Amino acid sequence: MVQEVIAKTKLISFEDITKTYQLDTQKVHALRGVTFDIGKGDFIAIAGPSGSGKSTLLNLLTLIDTPTKGRIRYNNVDVDTLSDNEKTLFRNKQIGIVFQSYNLIPVLNAMENVAFALQVQSVSTAESLDRAAQMLKEVGLGTHLRHRPSNLSGGQKQRVAIARALVTNPSIVIADEPTAALDTKTGMEILDLMKELNEHKRTTFVFSTHDVRIINSVDHVIQIEDGRLIN
Amino acid sequence: MNYFQFAIRNIMRYKKRSIVTIMTVSLGFTALGVLGGFLNNIFSRLKGQAIVAERLGHLTFAKSGFKENGKLEPEKYLWNKKELTDILGVLRNDPSVDLATPRLRMFGVTSNGKASTIFITEAIVSADDQKLIKTNVDGRTEVDGLITLNSKKGESSDVIIGSELASMMKIGKGQNITLLTSTKDGIANALDVKVVESYNTGNPATNDKFVLSDFSMAQDLYDTDGAERVVVTLKEPDKIKETKEVLLAKLKSAGYQLEATTWEDQSASYKKVTTLFGVIFRVLTIIISVIVLLTVTNTMQMVVTERTKEIGTMRAIGMLKNQVIKLFCTEGLIMGILGCLAAAPVLLIISTILRVSKITFTPPVASVPVPLVMITNPVNIVVIFLLFCVVAVVSSFLVSRKIANQLVVDSLMQSN
């Protein structure tokens, strides 16, 4: 009975994941047999020093990279069996990504940047802009819909990025050091926003961070060092 | 936001680079447009020279085998009076025929009493020739300086000779020359004729030996009451091939197995010049297209390099590889279209300047200067337009395909 409940709530499972890079003649072991599960609605931080394997772990979580060994399951689906296009579509529908440096498209305004994630799904322009505007209002940017990224502050850009990650109603949002490029106050505001969205929408959040205050405010922490989980 | 809007914004984002690319396309389009316009002018003038000045008409009918052996055994390919009347009847009654006129051609020696040289005479029915020299060729009904015999005023022994022949023989208007040739039976025959005019035939190969003579005079000289050929002009020259078959079939059912040759088949100089210039134009088209291809490729390569991280982001968000390629191809296509559109007013200005300035030039294998103008063929323009659009899309495709196939993680690691 207990196992059944766990199976139902498990969103992602990493099974003995190894990632090795070839750097010239040298082999770099970024991850060494990592195994963990992420449940639905979790609010998790991945912590560790630089070079510990955090980014590699996030790349594997977002399906933009593939493991050298091991198996990744999303909702019990073995994602390694998916083709590149299938992974892209899966990512678009199931995973929201927030980048450390926002990665907004400079020629699109805030609303268009958010709508972009829907438009690649062939959602009509009118509907996608409508939903984008709604999402931007939810992250507190209702008055900045038509601002281009160059006219937004760092915190505002990150809110747009979060809105873009959430607009497709994904199962999980994965953020790579979302507060690293922000000042402390703005960083905490972004964290509060993510926490609020996690609580209200039950969207799973996984993000990498160095920030101790952030680590202290999350439900779970995956501690990583030299490519191995230490906690 | 659709691909078109997105692409336009990206083009605007790299303004200078985009302008250089658009200008390259524009220059290429202008170069090919101007060159094509000049060549069309040359071809059209040569066409006019063949149909009107050389008096080939659109179609020439003769007995089967005339084209191959007519010069060796001309008497075998002569029609008698009844045959000629029948054939002219069939042709003149056909609604597609504008003019059907009998012809004789002879070769021989002409003399002014002191010196002699060879001549070729084309014997024409002057009333028919008055009509033929006004044949509409590509919208023009007049060939500058072209004259013909006027049977109403003149005598049947009047001739018009090539200006170079007149100069060689030192023969002026109103003076006589003797034409010596053989009859159809091979007996030598000579006739004194009066030179009423001389003109430049437009073709250096014939200008020093051409004699335009009256048909009935030529019949006397050749001792025949028939003709060897019938020259036809058509009401719809564009349908020359279909009309030719229809007329041959009609003549066959009237009991005459004839051959018909088009003016193009007969005019060796037209074929040579159009072939040569056609090759030159195609080579230049390839060279200019390659330059455009390399320029667009270079621009796209720089754009793609600068936007690698952005492409990685779009792929990470959910954009498929083919959607990335489509976006870049749209950008290339828009620049191609803009380049071609930018060239249109330039072409118009060049064309107007040439028309107003009335510059003339002498086309190859011609001896008469003609206006240096551009004759723009809409089909050619559309072909060049499509070619450049395809070139722009292909170069964008080649560059974007590579980046679209790059691993998303590698694209995102690009530091820009």
Side-chain angles (χ1 to χ4, degrees):
Chain A
M1 182 67 186
V2 174
Q3 280 200 339
E4 196 185 331
V5 171
I6 290 168
K8 271 182 187 172
T9 56
K10 191 161 60 178
L11 177 65
I12 303 166
S13 99
F14 265 46
E15 296 168 15
D16 195 23
I17 295 295
T18 297
K19 181 70 187 177
T20 310
Y21 296 105
Q22 189 74 37
L23 206 66
D24 295 327
T25 53
Q26 210 179 353
K27 267 191 176 177
V28 178
H29 298 279
L31 292 175
R32 304 162 192 258
V34 173
T35 299
F36 64 87
D37 291 338
I38 294 173
K40 286 178 183 168
D42 279 353
F43 197 70
I44 298 174
I46 298 173
S50 292
S52 59
K54 294 195 301 293
S55 294
T56 304
L57 198 59
L58 288 185
N59 291 341
L60 293 173
L61 272 171
T62 51
L63 309 186
I64 61 171
D65 204 356
T66 49
T68 312
K69 210 182 99 190
R71 185 182 287 175
I72 302 170
R73 288 174 182 273
Y74 261 85
N75 285 325
N76 282 326
V77 174
D78 186 350
V79 290
D80 290 337
T81 60
L82 301 178
S83 69
D84 188 75
N85 272 354
E86 285 169 337
K87 273 185 191 169
T88 305
L89 293 172
F90 185 88
R91 203 162 45 231
N92 180 252
K93 291 195 168 106
Q94 301 293 332
I95 307 169
I97 307 174
V98 179
F99 300 93
Q100 182 180 343
S101 48
Y102 330 119
N103 291 23
L104 300 179
I105 298 163
V107 294
L108 305 181
N109 63 34
M111 192 164 53
E112 289 163 344
N113 258 292
V114 176
F116 185 82
L118 291 168
Q119 285 181 323
V120 293
Q121 276 183 19
S122 301
V123 176
S124 73
T125 306
E127 189 193 334
S128 53
L129 288 174
D130 221 36
R131 281 168 63 181
Q134 188 57 40
M135 188 51 68
L136 282 167
K137 279 175 197 158
E138 284 184 38
V139 298
L141 278 179
T143 54
H144 292 72
L145 300 181
R146 297 191 189 280
H147 284 54
R148 289 262 176 109
S150 54
N151 297 324
L152 296 172
S153 68
Q156 288 168 332
K157 283 181 197 170
Q158 199 59 297
R159 283 170 192 267
V160 175
I162 290 169
R164 182 176 66 184
L166 284 165
V167 76
T168 55
N169 291 321
S171 317
I172 183 168
V173 172
I174 296 163
D176 184 12
E177 304 206 31
T179 59
L182 305 172
D183 59 69
T184 312
K185 184 174 168 279
T186 316
M188 289 313 288
E189 281 173 10
I190 291 295
L191 186 72
D192 290 342
L193 174 68
M194 292 197 293
K195 209 162 187 178
E196 195 184 318
L197 291 166
N198 168 253
E199 279 162 12
H200 286 129
K201 291 181 178 281
R202 298 305 301 154
T203 307
T204 308
F205 274 82
V206 177
F207 51 90
S208 62
T209 187
H210 285 104
D211 196 326
V212 180
R213 285 170 303 178
I214 294 174
I215 291 168
N216 291 337
S217 64
V218 300
D219 305 337
H220 307 285
V221 178
I222 296 173
Q223 194 77 36
I224 188 166
E225 210 171 293
D226 291 332
R228 289 192 181 88
L229 294 193
I230 56 168
N231 181 10
Chain B
M1 173 71 49
N2 55 35
Y3 282 99
F4 185 77
Q5 288 172 306
F6 196 9
I8 286 278
R9 287 197 199 173
N10 281 321
I11 289 168
M12 297 295 286
R13 178 173 163 195
Y14 301 99
K15 272 195 195 93
K16 281 183 188 169
R17 209 174 288 158
S18 300
I19 286 170
V20 169
T21 309
I22 289 167
M23 276 178 65
T24 308
V25 175
S26 185
L27 270 174
F29 190 91
T30 307
L32 288 182
V34 169
L35 185 65
F38 285 158
L39 290 184
N40 284 337
N41 182 37
I42 292 173
F43 294 169
S44 176
R45 301 287 169 179
L46 291 176
K47 184 178 170 184
Q49 186 181 297
I51 293 170
V52 179
E54 290 180 35
R55 292 171 163 86
L56 296 176
H58 294 124
L59 286 170
T60 299
F61 289 87
K63 278 187 179 176
S64 284
F66 173 81
K67 196 182 172 192
E68 212 161 313
N69 303 310
K71 281 184 185 170
L72 284 173
E73 300 171 294
E75 69 285 355
K76 276 193 178 176
Y77 297 93
L78 272 177
W79 292 308
N80 61 33
K81 191 173 185 177
K82 185 195 172 297
E83 288 170 331
L84 179 62
T85 309
D86 286 352
I87 289 164
L88 284 173
V90 171
L91 293 172
R92 283 172 179 163
N93 285 331
D94 192 278
S96 62
V97 172
D98 193 34
L99 171 77
T101 183
R103 290 285 176 81
L104 270 174
R105 180 174 291 169
M106 286 178 288
F107 308 88
V109 175
T110 179
S111 169
N112 62 0
K114 290 177 186 170
S116 52
T117 184
I118 55 165
F119 77 89
I120 305 167
T121 184
E122 181 75 1
I124 50 104
V125 175
S126 84
D128 291 344
D129 209 49
Q130 302 275 359
K131 194 174 175 187
L132 186 140
I133 63 169
K134 288 193 167 46
T135 301
N136 187 324
V137 178
D138 296 337
R140 294 185 313 274
T141 51
E142 298 285 342
V143 173
D144 285 343
L146 190 62
I147 51 172
T148 187
L149 293 168
N150 189 344
S151 60
K152 284 177 190 169
K153 287 180 186 171
E155 301 288 332
S156 66
S157 61
D158 288 352
V159 294
I160 294 171
I161 64 173
S163 57
E164 187 58 30
L165 178 62
S167 167
M168 278 166 56
M169 302 281 286
K170 298 200 183 336
I171 289 290
K173 211 169 157 181
Q175 290 183 289
N176 287 336
I177 53 169
T178 305
L179 301 179
L180 175 65
T181 184
S182 56
T183 65
K184 68 175 193 303
D185 302 315
I187 300 161
N189 196 6
L191 205 65
D192 280 342
V193 292
K194 189 169 83 179
V195 176
V196 292
E197 201 66 74
S198 66
Y199 82 109
N200 193 329
T201 62
N203 185 344
T206 61
N207 199 28
D208 60 349
K209 51 182 83 70
F210 187 70
V211 175
L212 188 72
S213 60
D214 183 81
F215 185 68
S216 59
M217 184 275 287
Q219 280 183 316
D220 289 344
L221 194 59
Y222 203 46
D223 192 22
T224 180
D225 54 3
E228 62 177 15
R229 286 170 291 132
V230 170
V231 166
V232 164
T233 60
L234 304 174
K235 286 175 184 161
E236 292 181 272
D238 293 343
K239 295 180 180 169
I240 190 164
K241 282 183 183 160
E242 302 94 298
T243 312
K244 176 180 145 182
E245 297 308 322
V246 170
L247 293 175
L248 280 174
K250 279 190 177 178
L251 287 162
K252 194 178 178 184
S253 60
Y256 294 98
Q257 183 76 45
L258 304 184
E259 68 179 23
T261 44
T262 64
W263 65 270
E264 257 181 286
D265 292 334
Q266 289 196 76
S267 179
S269 58
Y270 179 85
K271 258 190 173 173
K272 280 179 189 166
V273 171
T274 50
T275 306
L276 174 68
F277 279 93
V279 169
I280 293 171
F281 185 72
R282 268 175 233 125
V283 170
L284 278 174
T285 304
I286 292 168
I287 293 169
I288 292 171
S289 300
V290 170
I291 292 171
V292 170
L293 182 95
L294 293 177
T295 307
V296 180
T297 304
N298 184 44
T299 304
M300 281 299 171
Q301 189 62 59
M302 284 193 277
V303 167
V304 158
T305 306
E306 284 181 28
R307 281 164 61 188
T308 301
K309 192 171 178 180
E310 186 181 310
I311 293 163
T313 305
M314 294 192 293
R315 294 269 294 115
I317 290 170
M319 201 174 197
L320 297 170
K321 285 176 185 176
N322 60 5
Q323 289 176 312
V324 173
I325 293 170
K326 194 173 161 188
L327 175 64
F328 279 92
C329 286
T330 308
E331 288 179 28
L333 179 64
I334 290 170
M335 285 198 278
I337 291 172
L338 289 177
C340 293
L341 291 179
V346 180
L347 277 176
L348 200 68
I349 290 166
I350 294 172
S351 174
T352 308
I353 290 171
L354 287 172
R355 208 172 42 246
V356 171
S357 60
K358 295 192 188 305
I359 302 167
T360 58
F361 82 113
T362 307
V365 301
S367 54
V368 184
V370 296
L372 179 67
V373 290
M374 285 164 54
I375 296 179
T376 309
N377 181 346
V379 176
N380 287 357
I381 293 292
V382 169
V383 169
I384 299 170
F385 176 82
L386 292 176
L387 173 73
F388 279 13
C389 288
V390 168
V391 164
V393 170
V394 166
S395 45
S396 307
F397 171 79
L398 293 175
V399 175
S400 58
R401 192 182 59 152
K402 197 177 162 192
I403 196 74
N405 283 318
Q406 191 174 11
L407 284 175
V408 179
V409 68
D410 291 340
S411 301
L412 284 169
M413 275 178 189
Q414 181 92 7
S415 56
N416 52 24

